[in-house]
Structure formats: structure tokens, C-alpha cells
Amino acid sequence: GAPEAAESRSQRVFQMKSLAREFSAYSITPATGDRWELRLQTTPLFQYDAAGPDVLGGAVFTFVTSAGTDPEVMLLIEARNTEQGRRWMFTPARFSDYRADA
């Protein structure tokens, strides 16, 4: 349901930040099963421009606990040229010793 990736880099950066806000993540404490909502860091940990003819650019966002800035979940959002036009792709990755979901 994401909009088509913008043609200009500055517009894509804006879109990536908006798309990142659509995600949520949480971790679960193994011993107690307590669920902890994680907070999105709106400034990307890493951002890159075109990486070949199909990759227009992307960014890695992190989700952290409310008390700190240690990443628990990472979220890659990337704009790509596809047969259907400029599309957004994403993938979450756990970066924690606790169970985490996005």
C-alpha cells in the first residue's frame, strides 16, 4: 500500500521516514514473557544512494527501548526499480538476544 517511490532523492528520503513511522516493533523478556514496545529512531542509522541500476537508495532504521538507544530491531527500507515501476521494499531484522517482532 505504499506510494510509488519518488524520482528525486530528497523526496525519497522524506518518503522513507514516513514509511518507517508505519512500522512498530516490540521485544519479549524471556523469563517473564513481558512485552516491551520499542521506539523508532526517526534518523536512519545508515542511509545510501543508488547501488546499481535497480536500487535507487535506502536506509536502515532502528527500534530501541524507551530507556536507551541500543538497537533491538533494525528495519531496512529500500527503493527499487521493478517491472511495475519504482517500488518500496522492506525487511526487519532482530538485533537482540530477546525475542523481537516487527
Side-chain angles (χ1 to χ4, degrees):
E4 182 177 66
E7 198 166 327
S8 80
R9 179 188 184 280
S10 62
Q11 289 174 324
R12 284 194 307 273
V13 169
F14 178 79
Q15 284 180 313
M16 280 187 280
K17 290 181 179 185
S18 284
L19 289 170
R21 288 185 198 97
E22 297 290 322
F23 290 84
S24 62
Y26 62 89
S27 65
I28 297 176
T29 306
T32 62
D34 291 338
R35 179 179 158 142
W36 299 91
E37 295 298 321
L38 300 175
R39 177 175 52 90
L40 172 68
Q41 296 284 89
T42 55
T43 300
L45 179 67
F46 180 73
Q47 191 171 323
Y48 57 94
D49 291 325
D54 294 332
V55 177
L56 300 170
V60 176
F61 293 88
T62 57
F63 288 87
V64 301
T65 62
S66 61
T69 57
D70 182 27
E72 300 292 326
V73 172
M74 295 193 177
L75 173 65
L76 171 67
I77 299 178
E78 186 173 82
R80 293 184 186 172
N81 281 317
T82 70
E83 291 178 5
Q84 294 80 32
R86 292 184 304 275
R87 300 280 189 185
W88 289 106
M89 307 292 181
F90 70 90
T91 190
R94 184 177 71 162
F95 197 70
S96 174
D97 55 346
Y98 289 166
R99 186 175 140 214
D101 294 306

